[in-house]
Amino acid sequence: MSSLKDICSALPLDPLPPNRGRDPKLPHAPIRTPNLTAEEERLALKNALRYFPPSHHATLAPEFAQELRQYGHIYMYRFCPTLRMRAYPIDQYPCCTRQAASIMLMIMNNLDPAVAQFPQELVTYGGNGQVFSNWAQFRLVMHYLSEMTEEQTLVMYSGHPMGLFPSLPSSPRAIITNGMVIPNYSSRNQYEKMFALGVSMYGQMTAGSYCYIGPQGIVHGTLLTVLNAGRRYLGSDDLKGRVFVTSGLGGMSGAQAKAAVIAGCIGVIAEVDETPLRKRHEQGWLMEVTSSMEHCIKRIREAKSYKTPLSMGYHGNIVDLWERLLLEYQRTGELLVDLGSDQTSLHNPYNGGYYPVQLSFRQANQLMSTDPKGFQTTVQESLRRHVEAINKLSDAGMFFWDYGNAFLLEAQRAGGKVEKVGGGATEFRYPSYVQHIMGDIFSLGFGPFRWVCTSGDPKDLALTDDIAATVLEGISANVSDRIRQQYNDNIRWIREAGKHKMVVGSQARILYSDQKGRICIALAINQAIADGRVSAPVVISRDHHDVSGTDSPFRETSNVYDGSAFCADMAVQNFVGDAFRGATWVALHNGGGVGWGEVMNGGFGLLLDGSEEAAKRARLMLNWDVSNGVARRCWSGNSNAYETIQHTMEENRQLRVTMPFPVQDERVLDRALQA
């Protein structure tokens, strides 16, 4: 068994570790189909071998070639450590600076088998959200971090460590970019080739930025979405007896079951792959599992009748479930579903992100690799059926929204009837959850703020939970009713977080807060570290899915209607601004959520160590990290954002934002254009 010291000692070359191949006990990524030419295969092999001295090429070349042809990518399984991947306490990492150690901890959490979707393929979530492209990169990164000083920065090019470069103590310790491809070449087909060549990588959002905290992150976001959907569509805070149907129990989507029960409703989640379904059941996130459609329908009726909160995993295809719910309605007139959505990984529809109803799970995986074009046709047929059932249930009174996973986008591309008559480029028959539910929350400055206790001690997490709740309770006494509702949702969440047992991997927590709340929580936690009440430093971060972090016209910025929804200035400016305002590391990604070429997004990590310097960094960086996005949303015409940024400027006289003057008389435009 290797140790932390071993995996920080660069590549093991003398001797080479034994090639154990894939671990059959772990779930594995679907076989990729990059369709390389003979010359491209040769180039992929050369690119992989350049990590190693020529004396090892004769040994490594044949096995790398076999991996490429068998799995569609060179993962370098030989160099996968035998040490259990997990977030070890920060003081156990052999390094020169705690900032570097905090990055190491976060990387290893992303690769923890309890957290990662396909740990041996270095995929954290979403089917293809990579931490690195191969295991040589992992080992080199850990080595560089172990030797890094506070006058060096690690530069990461799509999983590849370009090296340590001299910098200032105030500079980020790591700068990460993933998938920065020239726009005209940012297509799915080009991506598959570039990833196989080892020159680019899809980091999803928090996979390639080392900030994932397990499915807890999306439990909270899903909880807020379901609660606010109930308020908007059903006119009630009380979701008892209401049925929410959706799909997916993998990396991110696994949160849906837990969120449904916390919200008090009946959550029915379809999943074709038994492995994640069993995993969520064993974790206690799913209360029941069934592969019987009859039993599924029976339990929905029982739970509705008794208004009992329930999370049930249906082992089968979501299209079958929607069609059966429609059949029940047509037979009996009883609508068994109130709210609907979808969290299949449709950013990656043809490589394991979506399984068509016509095929079994095994048949789909086989066709995916043997006949990619035939598989694509089958997926599109399935999507059309999928949409048809949802449309009919929606006509009967169900409320459906797109969860920003490219469901409606891919359904439209497949020929499904999801167009919105007279709608804009980012509008469909159904709203995205940002357009109808979360967009207003973003415009108020609220978004997913999170922290990780690097001690690994649950007591530190419990104390920081109490600190955060106390801070929000203090702020909420002096805010408007609309903002107080958001605070109250999050105070309830954080006060109950411990009993819901949501920690998977690192001792982490998430809540939604606005700018003031984030800063006050960060400063209070930093003070608790300085006082010794919290035993070790704390990393603060956020999901890229936030107020400022992501330009995504079909998700985060889908409620931007001034024509700038397809522009990415906000995400890029956020990345740069966080870097020089104090972040410990920053990341900028192509793709994430909706898919490659559809999104630009970024994130950060900032280490709180109890120092005045850490407090200064947190205050300066968090102010920018929220205000940037609120200002952009204000300029686009959002009234919530206008009020929010106006109030922020009143509190901070150094902040001066260009405010829009809306056209008050549309006839001015009519006369001008008719002249």
Side-chain angles (χ1 to χ4, degrees):
M1 180 71 71
S2 56
S3 64
L4 284 172
K5 184 177 179 182
D6 292 333
I7 64 171
C8 292
S9 301
L11 286 167
L13 300 173
D14 187 20
L16 289 171
N19 183 11
R20 295 180 176 84
R22 283 186 166 195
D23 184 343
K25 296 189 295 295
L26 292 174
H28 291 282
I31 296 167
R32 310 189 75 93
T33 53
N35 296 317
L36 300 183
T37 65
E39 279 304 307
E40 287 168 339
E41 283 189 341
R42 189 178 187 87
L43 182 58
L45 200 52
K46 285 175 66 176
N47 287 348
L49 289 171
R50 60 186 165 177
Y51 286 103
F52 307 94
S55 57
H56 293 294
H57 288 184
T59 301
L60 297 176
E63 69 186 57
F64 288 174
Q66 182 182 2
E67 285 184 21
L68 181 63
R69 287 175 174 166
Q70 189 170 355
Y71 306 121
H73 188 72
I74 301 171
Y75 295 105
M76 306 186 187
Y77 292 113
R78 178 191 287 268
F79 296 95
C80 179
T82 55
L83 177 70
R84 162 67 197 274
M85 289 286 171
R86 68 178 182 88
Y88 291 90
I90 192 168
D91 290 337
Q92 293 186 23
Y93 291 93
C95 49
C96 306
T97 165
R98 276 186 156 180
Q99 291 187 39
S102 70
I103 301 172
M104 297 164 91
L105 180 152
M106 299 290 278
I107 287 171
M108 292 193 70
N109 185 67
N110 273 23
L111 293 170
D112 181 341
V115 173
Q117 187 178 12
F118 305 124
Q120 278 202 301
E121 287 74 48
L122 304 107
V123 171
T124 301
Y125 69 91
N128 60 350
Q130 302 285 149
V131 186
F132 303 106
S133 182
N134 60 58
W135 286 104
Q137 292 174 347
F138 165 80
R139 286 182 177 270
L140 285 173
V141 166
M142 296 297 281
H143 178 61
Y144 280 133
L145 289 170
S146 72
E147 295 191 333
M148 171 191 286
T149 71
E150 293 193 356
E151 293 186 337
Q152 290 175 303
T153 293
L154 175 62
V155 176
M156 297 295 302
Y157 280 30
S158 290
H160 169 68
M162 193 57 69
L164 292 174
F165 291 78
S167 62
L168 298 170
S170 59
S171 303
R173 298 281 70 83
I175 301 280
I176 304 159
T177 53
N178 284 307
M180 294 296 106
V181 174
I182 305 301
N184 275 355
Y185 304 91
S186 189
S187 69
R188 278 190 189 135
N189 289 340
Q190 290 279 16
Y191 166 69
E192 290 296 340
K193 285 185 180 289
M194 285 185 278
F195 182 59
L197 291 172
V199 297
S200 195
M201 190 182 88
Y202 185 69
Q204 263 285 357
M205 289 191 163
T206 52
S209 67
Y210 323 144
C211 292
Y212 192 61
I213 60 167
Q216 175 193 171
I218 198 172
V219 169
H220 185 44
T222 305
L223 170 64
L224 293 181
T225 300
V226 173
L227 287 175
N228 284 291
R231 291 165 184 153
R232 178 173 184 125
Y233 300 134
L234 306 176
S236 176
D237 281 318
D238 185 1
L239 294 177
K240 291 186 181 70
R242 300 291 196 167
V243 178
F244 172 48
V245 172
T246 182
S247 60
L249 286 165
M252 294 286 279
S253 55
Q256 296 180 107
K258 191 75 170 178
V261 171
I262 297 172
C265 67
I266 300 152
V268 183
I269 305 96
E271 172 59 63
V272 293
D273 185 354
E274 190 174 11
T275 301
L277 189 139
R278 294 295 172 193
K279 182 177 182 179
R280 299 304 174 209
H281 189 234
E282 288 164 8
Q283 287 173 338
W285 289 36
L286 270 178
M287 295 164 66
E288 297 179 16
V289 171
T290 183
S291 58
S292 164
M293 183 70 77
E294 300 303 322
H295 182 72
C296 183
I297 298 299
K298 178 186 175 190
R299 288 294 292 126
I300 291 173
R301 284 199 166 98
E302 289 173 350
K304 273 178 70 71
S305 174
Y306 292 105
K307 296 188 175 182
T308 309
L310 173 67
S311 58
M312 181 164 59
Y314 169 62
H315 183 208
N317 197 287
I318 183 61
V319 181
D320 284 328
L321 180 56
W322 282 125
E323 290 179 341
R324 178 57 185 270
L325 289 166
L326 176 61
L327 183 62
E328 291 295 317
Y329 173 72
Q330 291 169 336
R331 283 176 176 171
T332 67
E334 183 182 13
L335 185 63
L336 291 176
V337 53
D338 301 285
L339 301 171
S341 192
D342 185 272
Q343 278 198 37
T344 47
S345 295
L346 272 159
H347 67 276
N348 183 33
Y350 308 125
N351 199 44
Y354 182 90
Y355 282 82
V357 66
Q358 306 94 313
L359 303 172
S360 70
F361 182 63
R362 182 174 293 180
Q363 288 170 334
N365 279 324
Q366 186 174 2
L367 187 63
M368 200 185 302
S369 60
T370 58
D371 183 7
K373 287 186 178 179
F375 183 74
Q376 180 173 338
T377 300
T378 309
V379 164
Q380 291 178 332
E381 289 173 359
S382 181
L383 280 168
R384 290 194 292 272
R385 278 177 59 181
H386 197 153
V387 164
E388 184 179 5
I390 287 170
N391 287 348
K392 290 177 179 177
L393 286 164
S394 178
D395 290 341
M398 178 190 74
F399 295 96
F400 184 88
W401 67 88
D402 182 291
Y403 218 113
N405 59 333
F407 173 69
L408 293 177
L409 181 63
E410 289 302 330
Q412 182 187 58
R413 288 169 176 170
K417 295 179 181 179
V418 294
E419 70 280 356
K420 179 180 180 179
V421 178
T426 64
E427 294 179 288
F428 297 97
R429 173 172 177 163
Y430 305 103
S432 78
Y433 74 118
V434 172
Q435 287 169 326
H436 265 201
I437 303 168
M438 300 301 284
D440 283 346
I441 294 174
F442 284 166
S443 297
L444 294 170
F446 281 82
F449 180 65
R450 53 180 60 168
W451 62 92
V452 176
C453 297
T454 67
S455 64
D457 188 345
K459 293 178 184 175
D460 280 346
L461 183 59
L463 180 59
T464 56
D465 282 349
D466 186 62
I467 288 169
T470 302
V471 165
L472 295 186
E473 286 164 351
I475 298 172
S476 68
N478 301 298
V479 297
S480 67
D481 289 344
R482 180 173 53 183
I483 292 175
R484 186 176 296 112
Q485 183 182 65
Q486 299 306 321
Y487 272 120
N488 287 343
D489 283 346
N490 283 281
I491 291 165
R492 172 189 164 196
W493 160 266
I494 207 74
R495 288 296 187 199
E496 296 179 356
K499 78 175 186 182
H500 290 305
K501 296 181 169 47
M502 286 173 296
V503 170
V504 178
S506 59
Q507 292 294 317
R509 187 67 74 222
I510 184 173
L511 56 76
Y512 268 53
S513 181
D514 60 359
Q515 182 170 320
K516 186 172 185 178
R518 298 185 205 204
I519 293 167
C520 291
I521 291 170
L523 295 180
I525 290 175
N526 192 60
Q527 188 60 50
I529 298 165
D531 296 343
R533 289 178 290 139
V534 174
S535 67
V538 170
V539 172
I540 60 170
S541 181
R542 59 162 170 75
D543 197 348
H544 297 199
H545 165 67
D546 195 13
V547 181
S548 306
T550 299
D551 282 296
S552 178
F554 297 102
R555 196 162 82 171
E556 284 80 356
T557 47
S558 60
N559 67 331
V560 169
Y561 300 115
D562 68 344
S564 70
F566 292 89
C567 300
D569 299 81
M570 180 177 72
V572 176
Q573 287 280 359
N574 223 66
F575 163 79
V576 175
D578 284 352
F580 66 75
R581 286 181 174 87
T584 305
W585 72 95
V586 289
L588 183 67
H589 297 184
N590 170 10
V594 182
W596 182 265
E598 306 283 359
V599 189
M600 289 290 285
N601 64 91
F604 73 86
L606 195 161
L607 185 69
L608 300 176
D609 60 5
S611 66
E612 281 298 320
E613 175 66 16
K616 179 181 175 183
R617 288 176 179 232
R619 185 182 292 108
L620 190 62
M621 199 212 72
L622 291 172
N623 268 312
W624 158 255
D625 195 65
V626 178
S627 282
N628 171 41
V630 178
R632 184 270 176 97
R633 293 167 191 276
C634 165
W635 185 246
S636 77
N638 187 288
S639 58
N640 283 340
Y642 188 102
E643 293 175 19
T644 302
I645 204 68
Q646 190 92 24
H647 181 69
T648 306
M649 284 193 286
E650 290 167 4
E651 291 195 334
N652 184 352
R653 294 298 177 181
Q654 286 187 299
L655 176 66
R656 298 180 64 188
V657 172
T658 305
M659 304 295 281
F661 293 98
V663 173
Q664 294 179 339
D665 185 353
E666 292 281 335
R667 291 173 297 179
V668 172
L669 305 180
D670 295 335
R671 287 193 294 269
L673 293 170
Q674 289 168 5

